[in-house]
Amino acid sequence: MNEFVGIFKDTRKHLMNGVSHMIPFVVTGGILMAVAVMAYGQGGVPPEGTWMATLWTFGSTALNLMVPVLSAYIAASIADRAGICPGFVGGMISINVGAGFLGGIVTGLLGGVVCYYLKKIKVPKALSSIMPIMIIPIVGSLVTMGFMQYILGAPIAGIMSGMTKVMEHLGNGNKVILGAVCGLLAGFDFGGPFNKVAYTFGVATVSAGVYTYAGPMAVTMTAPPLGCALAAFLAKKKFTQEEREAAKSAIAMGCVGITEGAIPFAANDPLRVIPSTMIGAAVGGAVGYLFNITNPVAWSGLIMLPVLGNPIGFLVSLAAAVGVTAGLMILLKKDITENVADTDGEDLEIDLSFE
């Protein structure tokens, strides 16, 4: 029992390990996608058959690997190499069922714990050699994938369906509340199922010729990565070196409407970052409706300024959202002291203490 408690006592260390390995995928994928969108210049995904579409595909491929990598190295932090396969495939299933990076955290922790205890099982010598390369990865993977597919998959689908109906109902009522709800969804999981509900609703309204929702939506999708980046620049002592580096790519991703730029910050400290981004984006969405921002394209980011109705209102709303997000993150997060030792260039140990 003490061992089990000890594993989760070190949860932040496990998350840090996952995030540190995930960041290169986020940066690479995000920057390539940002360049593709900026080169296209009309918002949204570039059309097929162009070099910009190819660049977008390269970037999205890298970005889609971030959840499996996050999950794999969370599991590896708990169970060493035995956890990598269950964590990685669990992260893939998390993407398939629409659980996003939060699902990846769950599969990483679950896969790591399962493999940790599988390693402790006493087996005959004849089986000991195949335990780490066959039995543990297979059993761990089946448990992790099965849990995500059959235990979490159905509830996530039900929640998404329910939230879509809520959005449709709010669309006929108070628009300011609709903008706030859009922000809460967009700022919760950054490309995950809740974020997709807000975005899909925007696609539907634009397709129907209604542009008043997509304007505030653009604010809510742009604010999280920019707010995280601003907080990292203003309060350096509250962020790791890797997070401060990730802030640079978060700016580029936010400018072209890629909300996933906030994931490295949220995965590292979800209990403080996610409430901040949710409240900040909710403020931006509500203010966006007050300014009557319109958007004829279901996309977001500063790159959309030329086509927005009331671009000044968009900038004011975005400034409010980014400011609230950054302010709450700075208020909630504690100073971090990093002691990093990397003697042989092989093993990197991170010791974190909080003041």
Side-chain angles (χ1 to χ4, degrees):
M1 183 64 182
N2 289 335
E3 280 186 321
F4 186 78
V5 173
I7 289 173
F8 286 96
K9 186 179 179 181
D10 292 331
T11 296
R12 182 172 176 81
K13 184 189 78 171
H14 305 321
L15 294 179
M16 281 282 301
N17 192 58
V19 170
S20 65
H21 287 86
M22 175 190 72
I23 284 178
F25 293 86
V26 176
V27 173
T28 300
I31 294 298
L32 290 178
M33 292 170 72
V35 171
V37 172
M38 287 188 291
Y40 180 43
Q42 299 179 38
V45 180
E48 290 291 335
T50 65
W51 67 268
M52 296 167 290
T54 301
L55 192 62
W56 172 274
T57 300
F58 291 164
S60 64
T61 300
L63 202 63
N64 285 339
L65 288 173
M66 68 179 177
V67 172
V69 170
L70 170 68
S71 180
Y73 284 94
I74 289 174
S77 178
I78 299 171
D80 297 321
R81 284 181 293 180
I84 291 180
C85 177
F88 194 94
V89 296
M92 293 293 293
I93 297 297
S94 176
I95 294 176
N96 292 345
V97 302
F101 87 96
L102 292 174
I105 291 177
V106 172
T107 56
L109 293 172
L110 176 62
V113 170
V114 170
C115 292
Y116 179 84
Y117 284 103
L118 285 174
K119 288 170 62 179
K120 292 184 171 298
I121 297 176
K122 301 296 183 181
V123 297
K125 288 186 178 181
L127 295 177
S128 60
S129 61
I130 64 171
M131 279 289 288
I133 61 172
M134 183 179 298
I135 296 176
I136 293 176
I138 291 175
V139 175
S141 297
L142 284 173
V143 172
T144 305
M145 291 190 291
F147 179 83
M148 181 55 67
Q149 182 74 39
Y150 297 108
I151 305 299
L152 288 186
I156 288 170
I159 291 172
M160 290 182 68
S161 176
M163 289 307 304
T164 300
K165 292 179 180 177
V166 169
M167 296 286 285
E168 292 172 351
H169 176 73
L170 290 174
N172 298 320
N174 192 314
K175 303 298 184 183
V176 174
I177 295 178
L178 176 61
V181 171
C182 172
L184 291 173
L185 295 174
F188 179 66
D189 57 358
F190 322 112
F194 291 91
N195 183 284
K196 281 185 171 63
V197 167
Y199 176 71
T200 302
F201 189 75
V203 173
T205 57
V206 168
S207 299
V210 179
Y211 305 140
T212 52
Y213 170 83
M217 181 200 74
V219 177
T220 66
M221 298 289 178
T222 306
L226 295 182
C228 292
L230 179 61
F233 288 132
L234 292 179
K236 295 182 179 180
K237 290 184 179 181
K238 296 177 182 287
F239 296 87
T240 66
Q241 178 63 34
E242 288 178 331
E243 287 176 317
R244 295 196 294 271
E245 290 299 320
K248 299 173 184 177
S249 63
I251 292 176
M253 295 170 75
C255 286
V256 296
I258 301 174
T259 320
E260 286 87 342
I263 288 180
F265 303 91
N268 215 9
D269 193 3
L271 296 181
R272 296 183 179 94
V273 173
I274 292 177
S276 302
T277 55
M278 288 177 68
I279 295 171
V283 169
V287 174
Y289 260 114
L290 292 176
F291 278 105
N292 194 33
I293 305 168
T294 59
N295 183 6
V297 181
W299 198 257
S300 56
L302 292 172
I303 194 173
M304 298 306 299
L305 278 174
V307 301
L308 293 176
N310 194 2
I312 300 300
F314 173 84
L315 292 175
V316 173
S317 303
L318 181 61
V322 170
V324 170
T325 299
L328 287 174
M329 286 179 65
I330 293 171
L331 179 66
L332 295 175
K333 288 178 70 68
K334 298 179 181 180
D335 288 355
I336 293 177
T337 301
E338 289 183 286
N339 295 318
V340 180
D342 187 10
T343 54
D344 297 322
E346 296 177 356
D347 297 324
L348 183 64
E349 297 181 358
I350 300 178
D351 177 34
L352 294 173
S353 58
F354 293 87
E355 296 180 359

